[in-house]
Amino acid sequence: IDAGIAGMAWSPDEEIGAFLTGDGKLVLMTKDFDMLAETVVEVTDFGASAFVTVGWGKKETQFHGSEGKEAAKVSKKPVLPVRPWDDRQARVSWRGEGQCLAGSTV
C-alpha cells in the first residue's frame, strides 16, 4: 500500500484484512496479502438527495422531487468542524460474524 496505512482491522476469523489507506481508499486483502477489493472511501455526491442538473430553467422552477419547491430556497448546511474529542484516527470495525465492516475517517 503505497500511500500508507491509516487504519486496519482483521476480520473475526482473521482471513481478511481491511485497510484504510492514506489516499482515502478501503482495501481488502487475504491473510496472505492478496488483493480482494479496493474502493474509494469518500464520495462527494451520492444518493437520492443529490441534485441532477438538466441544463435548463431557473432553480426555482425545476422539479425537486419529494422535497418540493421549498428545497430550492434552502441553503446548504455548512460543514461542521471536527469535534475536540475526535482524535482524527482512521478506524475499521468488523461485525461479530465477519459479514460486514465499517470504516471511519476524518
Side-chain angles (χ1 to χ4, degrees), residues 8-56:
M8 185 271 177
W10 288 105
S11 63
D13 62 1
E14 297 183 356
E15 292 291 321
I16 299 174
F19 300 84
L20 288 169
T21 67
D23 59 353
K25 294 180 182 175
L26 173 67
V27 179
L28 299 178
M29 293 185 173
T30 66
K31 64 182 177 183
D32 298 320
F33 298 102
D34 295 323
M35 179 93 63
L36 293 174
E38 180 177 12
T39 188
V40 177
V41 174
E42 187 175 329
V43 293
T44 57
D45 208 13
F46 178 76
S49 62
F51 288 107
V52 177
T53 303
V54 294
W56 55 267

Side-chain angles (χ1 to χ4, degrees), residues 64-88:
H64 295 281
S66 61
E67 296 173 346
K69 287 187 178 182
E70 294 301 315
K73 299 174 186 171
V74 176
S75 61
K76 290 188 177 186
K77 294 179 183 176
V79 177
L80 298 175
V82 177
R83 300 289 186 197
W85 46 261
D86 191 333
D87 62 4
R88 299 180 182 191

